[in-house]
Amino acid sequence: MKSIFGLALLLFTSTTALCQQLVMRGDHADPSVVKIGDTYWASATTSNWFPAYPLLKSKDLVNWKNEGFVFTKMPDWVDYYFWAPEITYEGGKVYIYYSAHKKGGNLCVGIASADKPEGPYTDHGPIICQTVGSIDAFPMRDEAGKLFMIWKEDGNSVGKPTPIWAQELNEARTALVGEKKELFRNDKGWEGNLVEGVSMMKKGDYYYAFYAAAGCCGRECTYQTGVARSKTLLGPWEKYDKNPVLVNDEEWKCPGHGTPVEKDGRYYFLYHAYDKETGVYTGREGLLIEFKFTPDGWIEFVKEDAAQDVPLTSVADNFKGRKVGQHWQWSVFQTPVISQRGGELQLAAKPTASGAYVGTKTTSGNYTATAKLRPNRTSAIAGLGAIGDDNNVVSLYWQEGGLKVVQLKEGKETELAQTPVSTKKNLYLKMQVANGKDITFLYSLDGKDFKTVNSQPADGSYLPPWDRSIRVGLLSKGNEGQKVIF
């Protein structure tokens, strides 16, 4: 069978005035930003989706365009968890300080560099790997001009405190120098079991540290943002007595882990939070808020009701050209064999529980995804579905003679509905999602008259991993050597 899909993902919501302005819709956790020339460049966590670390650019900090990824090939030392990239620029080079899980080890801080922000990037490997893990690196120069790396020791992963360390970094960014020094740790009640995601800036007499604390992720998150200051980089550091300074509001939950940036003499903080309505289904989204310096030398966030969210847009892909669209990602654990030309995307099948797949971010809790299929004879299975990870998928599968709605939960497959369908012409598949989790599948032979396959919506509430959101995906399941063409 040859399966031809044309995909259109339609997302609907209303735009309202918010004080914390939504500028990066969908999964953009731990955003980092830097100005290079007259353009702002940003990146964000991709975790176990690949390619890793989007490269986003903007002229105004609000409207962002994806220009590619830092890593399109897995670094040799990494196996999973691409977290918290910090994008910086100095001396005509772009440096990405990032966190990832080392093969046979734990979380480490690595560095990659490029001569221009869009890359290509050269990976220089891990530079620090503590026993309990090292994450959330940020470079900063001290008052004498020496370059330091700031990072978090991941003590909370083993029930210990989370010190924030500083240690001199050589100018080649290849090794740490001297001894590390603790700047501060989680010692305030509101901070819970961790402080992390430190970013810094120098203004007047002080260094300022923005940091996140408490629980970062998932439905029960408790994340909030604090600030600390010091007259020297190595301290002593003083935490603001009005912390936390950025907390939940009526629209957004668990704000934290961002980067300060200047624009036209004003200061902004780019960070993430969960939409209270769509929550884990759209993931941690990128927000922007202005801040000012108070007369007594602290930081105050400015909440302007006039700030407007970036509008929702639809995603459509007719698979024209040779390059796979930059909105598609896949699992770090099973790289798909994929190619594109002449309006077709060829996806080799895999015999795994989920099959091979490519997914695109969801940016609303209510959306429709459609796919056009031209069936021919084969034993491979083609699908359209909502994807959490390799072991958690809800999908509509086509195989010669019929359609099935299948729930894959923790690697166990359950058939929820089926219907016989026989056609040698076009077959249209549709997935309608409400409330981020209620999934109904439909099909049509003419693209107009759609019939429901599962009368009871499938429950996708279990799909999102603890640190990611749902993707809409195209799937190819079967034996090695088989493929479907979307």
PDB file of all heavy atoms in Angstrom, residues 396 403 419-421 427-430 441-445 449-453:
ATOM      1  N   LEU A 396      -5.212   6.758  15.216  1.00  0.00           N
ATOM      2  CA  LEU A 396      -6.094   6.131  14.233  1.00  0.00           C
ATOM      3  C   LEU A 396      -5.194   5.492  13.184  1.00  0.00           C
ATOM      4  O   LEU A 396      -4.443   6.188  12.498  1.00  0.00           O
ATOM      5  CB  LEU A 396      -7.007   7.174  13.585  1.00  0.00           C
ATOM      6  CG  LEU A 396      -7.925   6.656  12.475  1.00  0.00           C
ATOM      7  CD1 LEU A 396      -8.914   5.617  13.010  1.00  0.00           C
ATOM      8  CD2 LEU A 396      -8.686   7.813  11.817  1.00  0.00           C
ATOM      9  N   LEU A 403     -10.021   0.629   9.564  1.00  0.00           N
ATOM     10  CA  LEU A 403      -9.441   1.623  10.463  1.00  0.00           C
ATOM     11  C   LEU A 403      -9.599   1.149  11.894  1.00  0.00           C
ATOM     12  O   LEU A 403     -10.618   0.542  12.258  1.00  0.00           O
ATOM     13  CB  LEU A 403     -10.140   2.974  10.293  1.00  0.00           C
ATOM     14  CG  LEU A 403      -9.881   3.716   8.985  1.00  0.00           C
ATOM     15  CD1 LEU A 403     -10.950   4.786   8.771  1.00  0.00           C
ATOM     16  CD2 LEU A 403      -8.501   4.361   9.000  1.00  0.00           C
ATOM     17  N   THR A 419     -13.564   0.120  12.374  1.00  0.00           N
ATOM     18  CA  THR A 419     -14.597   0.167  11.358  1.00  0.00           C
ATOM     19  C   THR A 419     -14.012  -0.329  10.044  1.00  0.00           C
ATOM     20  O   THR A 419     -12.874   0.005   9.705  1.00  0.00           O
ATOM     21  CB  THR A 419     -15.172   1.589  11.193  1.00  0.00           C
ATOM     22  OG1 THR A 419     -16.286   1.558  10.315  1.00  0.00           O
ATOM     23  CG2 THR A 419     -14.127   2.558  10.653  1.00  0.00           C
ATOM     24  N   PRO A 420     -14.754  -1.170   9.308  1.00  0.00           N
ATOM     25  CA  PRO A 420     -14.249  -1.621   8.009  1.00  0.00           C
ATOM     26  C   PRO A 420     -14.352  -0.498   6.978  1.00  0.00           C
ATOM     27  O   PRO A 420     -15.354   0.213   6.924  1.00  0.00           O
ATOM     28  CB  PRO A 420     -15.179  -2.786   7.657  1.00  0.00           C
ATOM     29  CG  PRO A 420     -16.440  -2.507   8.398  1.00  0.00           C
ATOM     30  CD  PRO A 420     -16.053  -1.794   9.657  1.00  0.00           C
ATOM     31  N   VAL A 421     -13.318  -0.323   6.211  1.00  0.00           N
ATOM     32  CA  VAL A 421     -13.297   0.665   5.146  1.00  0.00           C
ATOM     33  C   VAL A 421     -12.562   0.060   3.965  1.00  0.00           C
ATOM     34  O   VAL A 421     -11.434  -0.421   4.108  1.00  0.00           O
ATOM     35  CB  VAL A 421     -12.588   1.973   5.572  1.00  0.00           C
ATOM     36  CG1 VAL A 421     -12.533   2.951   4.396  1.00  0.00           C
ATOM     37  CG2 VAL A 421     -13.291   2.625   6.751  1.00  0.00           C
ATOM     38  N   LEU A 427      -8.478   8.518   1.086  1.00  0.00           N
ATOM     39  CA  LEU A 427      -9.074   8.315   2.401  1.00  0.00           C
ATOM     40  C   LEU A 427      -8.609   9.456   3.287  1.00  0.00           C
ATOM     41  O   LEU A 427      -7.414   9.703   3.413  1.00  0.00           O
ATOM     42  CB  LEU A 427      -8.646   6.970   2.994  1.00  0.00           C
ATOM     43  CG  LEU A 427      -9.169   6.645   4.399  1.00  0.00           C
ATOM     44  CD1 LEU A 427     -10.696   6.523   4.379  1.00  0.00           C
ATOM     45  CD2 LEU A 427      -8.548   5.347   4.911  1.00  0.00           C
ATOM     46  N   TYR A 428      -9.556  10.172   3.878  1.00  0.00           N
ATOM     47  CA  TYR A 428      -9.238  11.324   4.719  1.00  0.00           C
ATOM     48  C   TYR A 428      -9.383  10.930   6.188  1.00  0.00           C
ATOM     49  O   TYR A 428     -10.419  10.399   6.594  1.00  0.00           O
ATOM     50  CB  TYR A 428     -10.178  12.491   4.409  1.00  0.00           C
ATOM     51  CG  TYR A 428     -10.076  13.001   2.992  1.00  0.00           C
ATOM     52  CD1 TYR A 428     -10.753  12.358   1.960  1.00  0.00           C
ATOM     53  CD2 TYR A 428      -9.315  14.128   2.691  1.00  0.00           C
ATOM     54  CE1 TYR A 428     -10.667  12.819   0.658  1.00  0.00           C
ATOM     55  CE2 TYR A 428      -9.215  14.598   1.390  1.00  0.00           C
ATOM     56  CZ  TYR A 428      -9.896  13.936   0.381  1.00  0.00           C
ATOM     57  OH  TYR A 428      -9.799  14.404  -0.918  1.00  0.00           O
ATOM     58  N   LEU A 429      -8.345  11.193   6.965  1.00  0.00           N
ATOM     59  CA  LEU A 429      -8.360  10.923   8.401  1.00  0.00           C
ATOM     60  C   LEU A 429      -8.415  12.244   9.155  1.00  0.00           C
ATOM     61  O   LEU A 429      -7.786  13.219   8.746  1.00  0.00           O
ATOM     62  CB  LEU A 429      -7.111  10.152   8.817  1.00  0.00           C
ATOM     63  CG  LEU A 429      -6.780   8.878   8.033  1.00  0.00           C
ATOM     64  CD1 LEU A 429      -5.512   8.252   8.592  1.00  0.00           C
ATOM     65  CD2 LEU A 429      -7.936   7.901   8.071  1.00  0.00           C
ATOM     66  N   LYS A 430      -9.138  12.247  10.255  1.00  0.00           N
ATOM     67  CA  LYS A 430      -9.265  13.472  11.046  1.00  0.00           C
ATOM     68  C   LYS A 430      -9.202  13.135  12.521  1.00  0.00           C
ATOM     69  O   LYS A 430      -9.758  12.117  12.975  1.00  0.00           O
ATOM     70  CB  LYS A 430     -10.577  14.193  10.737  1.00  0.00           C
ATOM     71  CG  LYS A 430     -10.790  15.489  11.512  1.00  0.00           C
ATOM     72  CD  LYS A 430     -12.120  16.154  11.165  1.00  0.00           C
ATOM     73  CE  LYS A 430     -12.071  16.778   9.792  1.00  0.00           C
ATOM     74  NZ  LYS A 430     -13.284  17.609   9.525  1.00  0.00           N
ATOM     75  N   PHE A 441     -11.719  10.440  16.585  1.00  0.00           N
ATOM     76  CA  PHE A 441     -11.203  10.204  15.242  1.00  0.00           C
ATOM     77  C   PHE A 441     -12.357  10.026  14.256  1.00  0.00           C
ATOM     78  O   PHE A 441     -13.386   9.420  14.583  1.00  0.00           O
ATOM     79  CB  PHE A 441     -10.322   8.961  15.210  1.00  0.00           C
ATOM     80  CG  PHE A 441      -9.032   9.122  15.969  1.00  0.00           C
ATOM     81  CD1 PHE A 441      -8.896   8.605  17.248  1.00  0.00           C
ATOM     82  CD2 PHE A 441      -7.959   9.794  15.411  1.00  0.00           C
ATOM     83  CE1 PHE A 441      -7.709   8.742  17.953  1.00  0.00           C
ATOM     84  CE2 PHE A 441      -6.758   9.936  16.110  1.00  0.00           C
ATOM     85  CZ  PHE A 441      -6.640   9.414  17.381  1.00  0.00           C
ATOM     86  N   LEU A 442     -12.153  10.547  13.049  1.00  0.00           N
ATOM     87  CA  LEU A 442     -13.146  10.461  11.993  1.00  0.00           C
ATOM     88  C   LEU A 442     -12.461  10.119  10.683  1.00  0.00           C
ATOM     89  O   LEU A 442     -11.247  10.259  10.547  1.00  0.00           O
ATOM     90  CB  LEU A 442     -13.908  11.785  11.843  1.00  0.00           C
ATOM     91  CG  LEU A 442     -14.542  12.376  13.106  1.00  0.00           C
ATOM     92  CD1 LEU A 442     -13.594  13.392  13.749  1.00  0.00           C
ATOM     93  CD2 LEU A 442     -15.875  13.046  12.784  1.00  0.00           C
ATOM     94  N   TYR A 443     -13.254   9.710   9.701  1.00  0.00           N
ATOM     95  CA  TYR A 443     -12.710   9.462   8.372  1.00  0.00           C
ATOM     96  C   TYR A 443     -13.722   9.870   7.314  1.00  0.00           C
ATOM     97  O   TYR A 443     -14.916  10.020   7.585  1.00  0.00           O
ATOM     98  CB  TYR A 443     -12.335   7.991   8.194  1.00  0.00           C
ATOM     99  CG  TYR A 443     -13.525   7.078   7.949  1.00  0.00           C
ATOM    100  CD1 TYR A 443     -13.881   6.705   6.652  1.00  0.00           C
ATOM    101  CD2 TYR A 443     -14.291   6.598   9.001  1.00  0.00           C
ATOM    102  CE1 TYR A 443     -14.974   5.891   6.426  1.00  0.00           C
ATOM    103  CE2 TYR A 443     -15.382   5.780   8.796  1.00  0.00           C
ATOM    104  CZ  TYR A 443     -15.720   5.421   7.492  1.00  0.00           C
ATOM    105  OH  TYR A 443     -16.808   4.613   7.271  1.00  0.00           O
ATOM    106  N   SER A 444     -13.246  10.049   6.097  1.00  0.00           N
ATOM    107  CA  SER A 444     -14.102  10.438   4.989  1.00  0.00           C
ATOM    108  C   SER A 444     -13.514   9.896   3.695  1.00  0.00           C
ATOM    109  O   SER A 444     -12.293   9.770   3.557  1.00  0.00           O
ATOM    110  CB  SER A 444     -14.206  11.963   4.906  1.00  0.00           C
ATOM    111  OG  SER A 444     -14.887  12.367   3.727  1.00  0.00           O
ATOM    112  N   LEU A 445     -14.374   9.596   2.744  1.00  0.00           N
ATOM    113  CA  LEU A 445     -13.924   9.165   1.425  1.00  0.00           C
ATOM    114  C   LEU A 445     -13.866  10.317   0.434  1.00  0.00           C
ATOM    115  O   LEU A 445     -13.238  10.178  -0.619  1.00  0.00           O
ATOM    116  CB  LEU A 445     -14.844   8.064   0.886  1.00  0.00           C
ATOM    117  CG  LEU A 445     -14.915   6.781   1.727  1.00  0.00           C
ATOM    118  CD1 LEU A 445     -15.872   5.780   1.085  1.00  0.00           C
ATOM    119  CD2 LEU A 445     -13.544   6.153   1.899  1.00  0.00           C
ATOM    120  N   ASP A 449     -17.796  14.596   3.901  1.00  0.00           N
ATOM    121  CA  ASP A 449     -18.710  13.870   4.779  1.00  0.00           C
ATOM    122  C   ASP A 449     -17.889  12.944   5.685  1.00  0.00           C
ATOM    123  O   ASP A 449     -17.470  11.865   5.270  1.00  0.00           O
ATOM    124  CB  ASP A 449     -19.708  13.063   3.950  1.00  0.00           C
ATOM    125  CG  ASP A 449     -20.674  12.275   4.815  1.00  0.00           C
ATOM    126  OD1 ASP A 449     -20.885  12.676   5.975  1.00  0.00           O
ATOM    127  OD2 ASP A 449     -21.196  11.243   4.340  1.00  0.00           O
ATOM    128  N   PHE A 450     -17.670  13.388   6.927  1.00  0.00           N
ATOM    129  CA  PHE A 450     -16.835  12.621   7.851  1.00  0.00           C
ATOM    130  C   PHE A 450     -17.702  11.768   8.779  1.00  0.00           C
ATOM    131  O   PHE A 450     -18.749  12.218   9.260  1.00  0.00           O
ATOM    132  CB  PHE A 450     -15.956  13.544   8.681  1.00  0.00           C
ATOM    133  CG  PHE A 450     -14.719  14.000   7.964  1.00  0.00           C
ATOM    134  CD1 PHE A 450     -14.753  15.123   7.141  1.00  0.00           C
ATOM    135  CD2 PHE A 450     -13.529  13.299   8.078  1.00  0.00           C
ATOM    136  CE1 PHE A 450     -13.621  15.541   6.463  1.00  0.00           C
ATOM    137  CE2 PHE A 450     -12.393  13.705   7.408  1.00  0.00           C
ATOM    138  CZ  PHE A 450     -12.438  14.826   6.602  1.00  0.00           C
ATOM    139  N   LYS A 451     -17.245  10.552   9.012  1.00  0.00           N
ATOM    140  CA  LYS A 451     -17.924   9.630   9.912  1.00  0.00           C
ATOM    141  C   LYS A 451     -17.025   9.344  11.117  1.00  0.00           C
ATOM    142  O   LYS A 451     -15.820   9.178  10.972  1.00  0.00           O
ATOM    143  CB  LYS A 451     -18.246   8.328   9.184  1.00  0.00           C
ATOM    144  CG  LYS A 451     -19.199   8.524   8.008  1.00  0.00           C
ATOM    145  CD  LYS A 451     -19.462   7.205   7.298  1.00  0.00           C
ATOM    146  CE  LYS A 451     -20.403   7.414   6.112  1.00  0.00           C
ATOM    147  NZ  LYS A 451     -20.652   6.148   5.379  1.00  0.00           N
ATOM    148  N   THR A 452     -17.646   9.264  12.280  1.00  0.00           N
ATOM    149  CA  THR A 452     -16.902   9.042  13.515  1.00  0.00           C
ATOM    150  C   THR A 452     -16.515   7.573  13.655  1.00  0.00           C
ATOM    151  O   THR A 452     -17.327   6.677  13.415  1.00  0.00           O
ATOM    152  CB  THR A 452     -17.747   9.468  14.727  1.00  0.00           C
ATOM    153  OG1 THR A 452     -18.075  10.850  14.602  1.00  0.00           O
ATOM    154  CG2 THR A 452     -16.994   9.251  16.030  1.00  0.00           C
ATOM    155  N   VAL A 453     -15.260   7.343  14.068  1.00  0.00           N
ATOM    156  CA  VAL A 453     -14.793   5.982  14.301  1.00  0.00           C
ATOM    157  C   VAL A 453     -15.014   5.584  15.756  1.00  0.00           C
ATOM    158  O   VAL A 453     -15.500   4.492  16.038  1.00  0.00           O
ATOM    159  CB  VAL A 453     -13.301   5.833  13.939  1.00  0.00           C
ATOM    160  CG1 VAL A 453     -12.834   4.391  14.162  1.00  0.00           C
ATOM    161  CG2 VAL A 453     -13.055   6.247  12.491  1.00  0.00           C
TER     162      VAL A 453
END
